[in-house]
Amino acid sequence: MTSNRTFQVFLGLYISIFFLYLFGPLIIMSVTAFNSTEFPSITPWECFSFRWFNEGKIAYDGQRLAGLAADRDLHVGLITSLFIALGVVTLSVPIGMSAAIVLTQVHSKLRTLFYSMSIMPVLFPGVVIGISTVVLWDRIATIGGEGIISELGRNGIFLTILGQTCFISTYCFLIFVARLQRFDTTQEEAALDLGASQTQVFMKIMIPYLMPAIGSSAVIAFLASFENYNTTVFSILSEQTLTTVIATKVRLGISPAISALAFVIICMTLVAAVLYEFFRRRQEKRKALESAAKMYKEISSDRLKEDIKKAFILPKSIFVILFIFLMAILGWQQIIKNNLYGGDCIAKAEDAKKSNFADQLKLLQNNAESLESEGGDGGTGSTNEYNDIFGDPNLFKNFGGFDN
């Protein structure tokens, strides 16, 4: 009993560390979206603010820092990513389904070869797929001359859709193969014996059976396209998707608007997962009630038809929700108590930054004046060796309004 208890404790500790390692960065990034500082960070905490979800701010040095609602590059990248993802879904799902159906129809000796060729694109690096797609269609556009072929061959969105479809269709293919392995072919044979055509068999039997695989493959294709970077960055040409915009911003200096975007995406994912689980359990419960009602209807014995009163059981998830809600209330009370929210907090933080920035400018001005005076006395610190860049007495005047 003691060893079993110890094993459970270590197992729980391992699972906790694993989930902390998995979701820790997401939690930290979500928290940084509410810090009013210009660089996403938790410490030092400045003020609790929603500015990075709105218009952003103008920094104390005059730099414009756009928030999530005012960042045009993120908006354009998001729309482009959605358009590309829809195009990839439109192509990948039919290609994967067709390849899976062909796999079930080819001769058994060729099945292994066909399967290997079908999954081969997923083994290629995304860089190779992106570059090869651009090179191929550039040659096609050159041969085709002026016209629609030339326009498509040099369209970054079109090339990205084709490049991503090359390997994402393989994911769809594997999903359809797993579904078709459990398909009973006698249903098709019975329908054909009863006079149905091949089209009717496909539409009435095959498509309804493959609907779960169609939905799953569409979701997988959409998500794989939306977050893809390796293939996209080489095939998008002059356009930009959400991933390339974020990569550019991170390369030039990360912005809190990216943390706000990450928080929005995380919330949307959680809401979608909760809604899916809710409707799934609701559907299962409805099917169970219908099955029980059908069974009771067929039973003639009144003894089995007696209603059994079930005790009300509080869902375990309600305790987790209440705990999170309680912690949020306590955290908000601490923020209000310590004056870490509101216009006054932000104004004080901005004044402190401006004062610090002004002190640095005055220090530079004093250093410039001291170098000038030393240079006038013929000292070794002459400003001529710096091409007299500090010779202008008004160099630091009217700089961001801090000279006063």
Side-chain angles (χ1 to χ4, degrees):
M1 181 64 67
T2 305
S3 60
N4 189 21
R5 180 65 177 176
T6 305
F7 173 76
Q8 292 180 356
V9 171
F10 278 103
L11 180 61
L13 181 62
Y14 171 78
I15 294 175
S16 301
I17 296 175
F18 173 76
F19 280 106
L20 182 63
Y21 173 79
L22 191 64
F23 296 107
L26 300 179
I27 296 174
I28 292 175
M29 178 168 279
S30 300
V31 174
T32 59
F34 298 95
N35 193 359
S36 62
T37 184
E38 290 80 7
F39 188 83
S41 60
I42 295 181
T43 55
W45 186 267
E46 193 173 274
C47 295
F48 187 89
S49 173
F50 296 98
R51 60 166 50 168
W52 304 120
F53 293 89
N54 300 320
E55 299 296 327
K57 62 167 289 188
I58 298 178
Y60 54 88
D61 57 355
Q63 182 183 4
R64 171 64 176 168
L65 301 175
L68 183 60
D71 199 323
R72 184 177 178 276
D73 292 337
L74 288 177
H75 299 167
V76 175
L78 176 61
I79 295 174
T80 305
S81 295
L82 292 175
F83 184 80
I84 292 174
L86 292 177
V88 171
V89 170
T90 304
L91 293 179
S92 298
V93 174
I95 291 174
M97 182 172 61
S98 303
I101 294 175
V102 171
L103 181 66
T104 62
Q105 303 296 326
V106 298
H107 195 273
S108 58
K109 294 182 179 180
L110 300 176
R111 195 166 296 169
T112 303
L113 177 62
F114 183 82
Y115 179 81
S116 301
M117 293 179 61
S118 299
I119 66 173
M120 193 174 296
V122 79
L123 304 177
F124 295 152
V127 176
V128 175
I129 295 177
I131 295 176
S132 60
T133 302
V134 173
V135 172
L136 173 63
W137 280 90
D138 180 70
R139 297 298 177 87
I140 294 176
T142 303
I143 296 173
E146 300 296 332
I148 188 172
I149 300 298
S150 178
E151 294 293 333
L152 290 177
R154 295 181 173 89
N155 188 297
I157 296 178
F158 176 75
L159 296 179
T160 304
I161 292 175
L162 294 183
Q164 292 183 1
T165 303
C166 289
F167 66 94
I168 292 179
S169 59
T170 305
Y171 302 151
C172 302
F173 166 75
L174 295 174
I175 295 174
F176 283 111
V177 168
R179 181 67 175 173
L180 287 173
Q181 287 179 348
R182 299 188 298 270
F183 180 66
D184 187 5
T185 57
T186 57
Q187 299 181 31
E188 292 182 329
E189 297 173 358
L192 293 173
D193 291 340
L194 293 175
S197 63
Q198 292 288 349
T199 304
Q200 290 176 333
V201 171
F202 180 76
M203 298 300 296
K204 300 289 186 179
I205 296 178
M206 184 64 71
I207 292 297
Y209 179 78
L210 291 177
M211 283 304 295
I214 292 174
S216 301
S217 60
V219 173
I220 294 297
F222 182 87
L223 295 177
S225 172
F226 191 82
E227 59 86 25
N228 181 261
Y229 178 77
N230 293 334
T231 302
T232 303
V233 73
F234 288 96
S235 60
I236 196 64
L237 300 182
S238 61
E239 303 289 340
Q240 281 190 317
T241 62
L242 184 63
T243 53
T244 57
V245 171
I246 292 176
T248 303
K249 289 182 175 295
V250 171
R251 190 181 301 114
L252 298 177
I254 188 169
S255 168
I258 299 178
S259 299
L261 177 63
F263 179 77
V264 172
I265 294 176
I266 291 171
C267 290
M268 292 175 61
T269 305
L270 291 176
V271 170
V274 170
L275 290 178
Y276 170 77
E277 186 67 17
F278 172 76
F279 286 113
R280 186 186 67 82
R281 293 189 179 185
R282 185 178 179 182
Q283 185 178 6
E284 290 180 353
K285 185 177 180 180
R286 184 173 66 250
K287 289 182 178 180
L289 292 176
E290 292 176 355
S291 178
K294 183 178 180 181
M295 183 183 66
Y296 290 159
K297 185 177 180 180
E298 295 176 354
I299 294 176
S300 59
S301 176
D302 295 336
R303 183 176 60 86
L304 297 178
K305 292 184 179 181
E306 294 178 358
D307 294 333
I308 301 176
K309 295 183 179 180
K310 296 182 179 180
F312 176 75
I313 300 177
L314 194 65
K316 294 181 179 180
S317 59
I318 195 66
F319 294 103
V320 178
I321 296 174
L322 290 176
F323 176 76
I324 295 175
F325 184 71
L326 180 61
M327 295 301 296
I329 292 177
L330 294 177
W332 182 256
Q333 289 180 349
Q334 291 296 323
I335 290 175
I336 299 298
K337 181 180 179 181
N338 296 324
N339 295 323
L340 296 177
Y341 175 75
D344 295 338
C345 175
I346 295 177
K348 291 179 180 179
E350 295 298 325
D351 292 340
K353 292 178 182 178
K354 290 180 180 180
S355 177
N356 187 22
F357 192 65
D359 293 339
Q360 293 178 0
L361 289 179
K362 290 179 180 179
L363 180 61
L364 289 174
Q365 187 175 5
N366 294 332
N367 292 337
E369 293 175 352
S370 62
L371 288 174
E372 183 180 2
S373 62
E374 292 177 1
D377 296 335
T380 59
S382 175
T383 59
N384 292 329
E385 60 181 301
Y386 299 104
N387 295 324
D388 203 21
I389 59 173
F390 295 106
D392 185 6
N394 297 320
L395 178 63
F396 297 104
K397 296 293 184 181
N398 297 323
F399 189 83
F402 300 114
D403 55 319
N404 296 322

